[in-house]
Amino acid sequence: MPKQPRAWQRMLSGRRLDLLDPTPMDIEIDDIAHGLAFVARWNGQTRGDYAFSVAEHSLLVETIHARLCPGAPAKWRLAALLHDAPEYVIGDMISPVKTAVGPGYGALDARLAQAIHVRFGLPADIPKSVKRQIKRADRVSAWMEATAIAGFSEAEADRFFGHPDPALREGLEIVLRPPRQVREDFTARHAELLARI
């Protein structure tokens, strides 16, 4: 009988996360924060001495989402913070690679996202209207990242991400920090939002 390929990963918490059948019991925020703090956006093709991590991006998206939807309940702000959480174990694939991989990547991402949502008291499937709001915040963040550290001109970023309202970006900047600091801030923000649900 042929040996089955391993489809699980051991996390630093000691949890064993089955990628084909993830359960909320195997999800820990410390694992997510640690993983995302070490996953580089833009495949690491950014200026600076540190990568701009998915954890840093997630913190920025949650801040922008709060500006877009100032009355949003804490649970949807938490959903914004966790919008890329599956990448703690599957990495951040740039859009062209996702297209090349095909629908299997989306299914894997969705399974992990559902387990993560349930683990932290969110509905397994986030309502489409909330997803659209989070995606809008995500695109503002992507535009900021593209123009600040990824080598895009504003005109080029406008074509890919749309031109964001300057008021949404006011006072915000792209900050490159050591993974340890980002991990701590991500974990702290998660705890703040979870306490408000």
Side-chain angles (χ1 to χ4, degrees), residues 40-197:
R41 293 268 295 162
W42 307 94
N43 278 354
Q45 297 300 305
T46 53
R47 297 182 189 98
D49 294 329
Y50 293 103
F52 189 74
S53 72
V54 174
E56 193 80 73
H57 163 77
S58 298
L59 288 162
L60 182 57
V61 168
E62 191 264 326
T63 298
I64 296 167
H65 178 264
R67 290 181 175 194
L68 283 167
C69 309
K75 67 180 180 179
W76 300 144
R77 293 186 65 178
L78 180 60
L81 182 70
L82 296 172
H83 79 283
D84 279 339
E87 294 177 7
Y88 86 106
V89 69
I90 60 175
D92 180 27
M93 238 184 254
I94 59 173
S95 295
V97 176
K98 288 178 187 175
T99 301
V101 170
Y105 177 86
L108 175 60
D109 184 84
R111 279 193 303 273
L112 285 164
Q114 289 172 338
I116 291 165
H117 293 155
V118 171
R119 171 67 175 89
F120 299 114
L122 299 172
D125 294 308
I126 303 299
K128 285 186 169 72
S129 60
V130 175
K131 278 186 175 181
R132 279 193 299 272
Q133 294 164 345
I134 294 169
K135 187 62 180 174
R136 186 170 166 212
D138 188 41
R139 291 173 66 80
V140 172
S141 181
W143 187 95
M144 291 175 63
E145 296 164 34
T147 57
I149 57 172
F152 285 59
S153 68
E154 286 196 14
E156 188 178 26
D158 288 351
R159 281 198 308 275
F160 289 106
F161 310 112
H163 189 79
D165 180 348
L168 290 174
R169 300 180 277 127
E170 189 175 339
L172 299 177
E173 59 183 307
I174 300 300
V175 180
L176 303 176
R177 301 185 294 157
R180 178 186 53 79
Q181 290 177 354
V182 181
R183 179 182 64 215
E184 290 170 1
D185 286 354
F186 185 95
T187 304
R189 187 63 183 146
H190 176 269
E192 289 169 11
L193 291 169
L194 201 58
R196 290 168 43 194
I197 293 178

Side-chain angles (χ1 to χ4, degrees), residues 1-5:
M1 179 181 287
K3 186 178 177 183
Q4 289 290 329

